[in-house]
Every structure is written in structure tokens, then in C-alpha cells.
Amino acid sequence: MSKTYFTEDHEWIRVEGDTATVGITDYAQEQLGDLVFVDLPENGRALSKGDTAVVVESVKAASDVYSPADGEVTDVNEALTSDPSLVNTAPTGDGWLWKMRLSDQGQLEGLMDEDAYKASIA
């Protein structure tokens, strides 16, 4: 069973075992507008919580996407290289950004659940 958490910077992280999938929220993609480029991390890259992992560029601006936890990148969404708009059309589905093996699941405790996140953007 997976559990999804949210950050104040509008990332989501879906955890299954010690693997997590990370992306930006629907709210974040709406604020950015149409994405035209996504700079993905390298497989094997070690990330610390708060590190800039991805840069997304939209017609409005470029924005950093931060790692919500410590871990190692195990996969990136290569489909975004040719079609960054997947983040706009399916931000919590096919528009995911990267997957990582978590090093410290205790870091997830400070993140929001869906209800708390919805309240924070209301």
C-alpha cells in the first residue's frame, strides 16, 4: 500500500516500501503554467532533503523542485524529455518526475497529508 505526502513547496511524494515517487502538485503546475522543459536528475544521484533535484521551466518562469527526503535517484521520467506537458496534464500520475530509494523514512513525519495540504493552499 502506498502513502502520499506533500511539502510546503508543493511537491508530492508517494511512498511504497523504501521507494518513493516524487512530482509537483496540481496546484503547482497551475501556478507555473504550461511547462516547456524539465531538467531531470541523474540516476544514482544522492539527494538530501531540501536539495534542488529538478528544474522545471514554463512559459512564465523557471522553478526548482526540491527533494522531500534523503535518498538516491533510481529512475527518472524520461517521457518528460520529449513531452514536459505531462506534468500539466497528469501531475500526480504520468507527470511524475523521479523515483528514489529513501535513506530515512523518519523525514516523512514532518510532511503534510492530503487534507493538511489542501488546507494550506485554500
Side-chain angles (χ1 to χ4, degrees), residues 17-86:
D18 69 344
T19 301
T21 304
V22 183
I24 63 171
T25 64
D26 187 51
Y27 175 82
Q29 72 79 23
E30 285 177 3
Q31 297 302 305
L32 287 166
D34 294 336
L35 292 188
V36 295
F37 179 75
V38 178
D39 184 19
L40 297 166
E42 301 265 334
N43 279 327
R45 178 176 168 199
L47 293 170
S48 294
K49 183 175 184 171
D51 282 355
T52 297
V54 171
V55 176
V56 293
E57 293 182 19
S58 72
V59 294
K60 294 181 183 178
S63 183
D64 292 340
V65 180
Y66 305 105
S67 182
D70 295 352
E72 180 182 328
V73 176
T74 57
D75 194 15
V76 296
N77 191 349
E78 296 288 351
L80 300 178
T81 304
S82 60
D83 188 6
S85 71
L86 285 171

